[in-house]
Amino acid sequence: MSIMNLKGKVASYLQRLIDEGSPIHFSLIDPDKVTDLEILQNVATKLYRSGSSAFLVGGTLGVSKERLDGILEILNDYPIPKIIFPSNVNLISEKADAILFMSLLNSDDLYYVIGAQVAASFIVKSMKLEPIPTGYLIVGHGGTAAHIGRARVIPYDNAELASAYALAAEFMGMDYLYLEAGSGAPETVRPEMIRTISRVSRINLIVGGGIRSPERAVEIVRAGAKAIVTGNVIENDTERALKIIEAIQNLRVGY
Ligand SMILES: CC(C)=CCC/C(C)=C/CC/C(C)=C/CC/C(C)=C/COP(=O)(O)OP(=O)(O)O
Ligand SMILES: O=P(O)(O)OC[C@@H](O)CO
Ligand SMILES: [Mg+2]
């Protein structure tokens, strides 16, 4: 059996995109920000048609399991994965395909490093949700996630420190490292940090927080990110989000 087959369906799909040289785009849907399910359907259709690779569903504040389930039901109409982006153990649903099984590597609180994961493990298994082993590293602005997660944020310009975390995550067997500047961050993770990490570690980088222009998204992918996440820009200006998706697709190797 090949290594590919040992991975779950969603991990294999993401790995295939990476192997093809196709930049991954995650559309982050925050259940607390969805006011109207019809609007969500409209937006999700546009995101899917533009080539977004998967839906990430999660939020830090004001998210309930009921809301999460309602959103996942709507997203079930689209043939791309629905992946939970959990802020805590209450946001786990059998209606999703997979969960970013994250450890907040730079938290001072053991709960976010290993406690929540222990509390969640049997739930994830019984729901047959596919766990995607992911390190979560909060950088710079950090936003609400840094505050709630008690992160000792990595300064935007300390690429060496971020690289040490990336290598540690790789050595611990994590497939992905999510570099998070925080929802709505005024500045994204810097391309220089992404470039430095990519030189040091083979871990797949997911980059999110404050990405709101196609130009910045392109710089982030060119620097070595395998995936980008956009949340606020979808909520605030969907057409701009579609331009971001289009711009990174044009970077596809051999395109
Ligand atoms: C593995 C399981 C079940 C849980 C892990 C829980 C961990 C490690 C959480 C890390 C800390 C944390 C608070 C992460 C937030 C992740 C997230 C959903 C961010 C997106 O939310 P925002 O967009 O910032 O939310 P708001 O818009 O509500 O501020
Ligand atoms: O909402 P934005 O700023 O796009 O950030 C996305 C995500 O990284 C937040 O957790
Ligand atoms: Mg948000």
Side-chain angles (χ1 to χ4, degrees):
M1 196 191 273
S2 74
I3 286 176
M4 277 284 282
N5 292 336
L6 289 173
K7 286 188 189 270
K9 205 172 155 198
V10 176
S12 299
Y13 163 75
L14 297 174
Q15 189 60 53
R16 195 175 72 237
L17 292 175
I18 292 170
D19 292 344
E20 280 172 12
S22 301
I24 295 166
H25 177 266
F26 288 122
S27 292
L28 174 60
I29 309 293
D30 182 341
D32 181 47
K33 306 286 156 53
V34 176
T35 46
D36 182 327
L37 292 182
E38 224 168 278
I39 297 178
L40 172 66
Q41 215 157 22
N42 206 323
V43 169
T45 302
K46 288 183 180 168
L47 292 164
Y48 167 65
R49 288 198 183 141
S50 301
S52 186
S53 320
F55 293 109
L56 279 192
V57 189
T60 309
L61 303 177
V63 187
S64 69
K65 169 78 162 55
E66 290 67 32
R67 267 179 166 265
L68 175 69
D69 282 345
I71 306 288
L72 288 168
E73 257 164 47
I74 299 281
L75 299 180
N76 204 23
D77 288 346
Y78 307 91
I80 52 174
K82 304 173 294 294
I83 306 171
I84 295 175
F85 177 30
S87 54
N88 216 327
V89 294
N90 56 329
L91 296 179
I92 306 177
S93 169
E94 61 287 349
K95 295 184 194 300
D97 301 298
I99 179 168
L100 290 186
F101 204 81
M102 326 190 288
S103 172
L104 177 44
L105 300 174
N106 58 332
S107 176
D108 273 341
D109 186 340
L110 272 179
Y111 178 80
Y112 290 103
V113 181
I114 185 63
Q117 298 73 10
V118 171
S121 59
F122 279 125
I123 304 172
V124 168
K125 195 174 174 73
S126 68
M127 287 183 178
K128 298 192 168 64
L129 263 177
E130 181 183 336
I132 313 272
T134 306
Y136 191 46
L137 193 64
I138 307 188
V139 174
H141 180 263
T144 310
H147 181 91
I148 299 288
R150 295 172 189 261
R152 228 161 348 118
V153 294
I154 313 284
Y156 278 120
D157 61 0
N158 200 337
E160 190 188 12
L161 182 55
S163 302
Y165 274 94
L167 205 52
E170 177 191 327
F171 291 169
M172 287 191 286
M174 292 167 177
D175 290 333
Y176 291 90
L177 181 69
Y178 189 144
L179 291 176
E180 169 74 275
S183 175
E187 182 181 355
T188 71
V189 173
R190 293 184 185 161
E192 180 53 33
M193 179 179 279
I194 298 165
R195 219 172 281 116
T196 304
I197 296 176
S198 304
R199 274 197 295 264
V200 172
S201 169
R202 312 169 32 167
I203 201 161
N204 296 310
L205 294 178
I206 302 172
V207 176
I211 301 175
R212 51 179 86 74
S213 78
E215 295 75 19
R216 189 63 169 185
V218 163
E219 275 188 278
I220 286 170
V221 171
R222 283 221 172 101
K226 297 295 196 302
I228 64 160
V229 182
T230 60
N232 273 270
V233 71
I234 297 174
E235 294 159 17
N236 301 335
D237 186 348
T238 308
E239 294 309 313
R240 210 169 158 74
L242 303 183
K243 291 207 176 85
I244 291 176
I245 298 171
E246 189 190 322
I248 66 164
Q249 273 171 0
N250 290 337
L251 292 178
R252 202 179 141 175
V253 176
Y255 194 79

